[in-house]
Amino acid sequence: MDCCGVKRLVCNELIPFAEENGFLFVGGHPMAGREHSGFTYAQKSLFNNASMIFTPTKGPIESMEKLKDLFTSIGFTNIEIATPADHDKKIAFTSQLAHVVSSAYIKSPTAREHMGFSAGSYKDLTRVAKLNEDMWTELFLDNPDNLTAEIDTLIGNLKDYSDAIKAKDADTLKRLLREGREKKALIDGEVF
């Protein structure tokens, strides 16, 4: 098993190797991380209530039960199963895009002047800008198709907001904001 943040590249190499050498390989990705890296920042509770993603392809169900038992015993409460391709597509949105946005956002010249003018939203949006650029560069370049599609979608959405604001088009701006609020409520299960 691996614990890498991309799965297609890893699984495409290791699954055939495992089959040729008589062992079972399962791709894995713990959805638990912090903005700082290294043992200095390790936390005993890092995996508490986190999700663990498995990308199995072959093997006995008993193997998956053993992995599930192992990971729930160290704090994971949600086990997800995905194909390597589905994993990489979803991770481009839920993790990689957030790191790109945070890194790009903090580069505003205004960022140096924010003291006393920021609260939770600023902290939430900039937390992961403290990334490990070596690791994230590798992860981004190992998932370019999915990540660039998400970046391009975001750019298009931001352009819609910018155009509405520049045009002082209150109706369009309210619609865009309402759509975002409603989508968030739907995704969070607050609206059925």
Side-chain angles (χ1 to χ4, degrees), residues 89-108:
K89 183 175 186 210
K90 290 177 180 175
I91 287 303
F93 173 73
T94 63
S95 179
Q96 293 178 340
L97 181 63
H99 285 79
V100 169
V101 169
S102 185
S103 181
Y105 175 78
I106 198 66
K107 292 178 184 176
S108 168

Side-chain angles (χ1 to χ4, degrees), residues 75-126:
F76 289 91
T77 54
N78 183 41
I79 305 295
E80 294 288 333
I81 306 292
T83 66
D86 191 41
H87 168 277
D88 288 359
K89 183 175 186 210
K90 290 177 180 175
I91 287 303
F93 173 73
T94 63
S95 179
Q96 293 178 340
L97 181 63
H99 285 79
V100 169
V101 169
S102 185
S103 181
Y105 175 78
I106 198 66
K107 292 178 184 176
S108 168
T110 310
R112 295 178 79 56
E113 304 164 10
H114 81 278
M115 293 304 204
F117 289 81
S118 59
S121 56
Y122 168 82
K123 291 176 185 175
D124 290 346
L125 192 54
T126 60

Side-chain angles (χ1 to χ4, degrees), residues 1-2 6-28 54-59 64 82-85 87-88:
M1 178 175 193
D2 77 309
V6 291
K7 295 275 77 71
R8 288 176 298 175
L9 183 74
V10 172
C11 291
N12 289 345
E13 294 291 324
L14 289 176
I15 289 168
F17 179 80
E19 290 172 358
E20 290 170 13
N21 291 282
F23 67 92
L24 175 65
F25 172 78
V26 175
F54 295 124
T55 58
T57 53
K58 296 182 180 180
M64 290 308 302
T83 66
H87 168 277
D88 288 359

Side-chain angles (χ1 to χ4, degrees), residues 35-182:
E35 63 272 22
H36 300 288
S37 61
F39 289 111
T40 304
Y41 299 101
Q43 286 184 334
K44 187 174 158 181
S45 62
L46 181 64
F47 302 136
N48 288 358
N49 300 313
S51 293
M52 181 65 194
I53 304 169
F54 295 124
T55 58
T57 53
K58 296 182 180 180
I61 193 70
E62 297 82 19
S63 299
M64 290 308 302
E65 286 301 316
K66 287 180 184 178
L67 283 173
K68 182 179 177 184
D69 290 346
L70 170 65
F71 282 88
T72 55
S73 75
I74 59 174
F76 289 91
T77 54
N78 183 41
I79 305 295
E80 294 288 333
I81 306 292
T83 66
D86 191 41
H87 168 277
D88 288 359
K89 183 175 186 210
K90 290 177 180 175
I91 287 303
F93 173 73
T94 63
S95 179
Q96 293 178 340
L97 181 63
H99 285 79
V100 169
V101 169
S102 185
S103 181
Y105 175 78
I106 198 66
K107 292 178 184 176
S108 168
T110 310
R112 295 178 79 56
E113 304 164 10
H114 81 278
M115 293 304 204
F117 289 81
S118 59
S121 56
Y122 168 82
K123 291 176 185 175
D124 290 346
L125 192 54
T126 60
R127 181 182 65 84
V128 295
K130 297 177 184 175
L131 50 69
N132 175 325
E133 63 273 7
D134 293 327
M135 179 185 78
W136 285 100
T137 295
E138 188 174 341
L139 290 170
F140 294 165
L141 295 180
D142 286 343
N143 197 22
D145 52 338
N146 291 311
L147 181 55
T148 57
E150 291 296 343
I151 292 170
D152 291 345
T153 297
L154 178 63
I155 290 169
N157 290 338
L158 289 172
K159 177 131 179 39
D160 291 343
Y161 286 88
S162 180
D163 290 348
I165 293 166
K166 286 175 185 173
K168 297 188 183 231
D169 182 347
D171 291 337
T172 299
L173 185 57
K174 284 179 187 177
R175 177 184 54 78
L176 292 168
L177 293 168
R178 182 179 58 254
E179 289 170 354
R181 177 181 50 78
E182 289 173 349

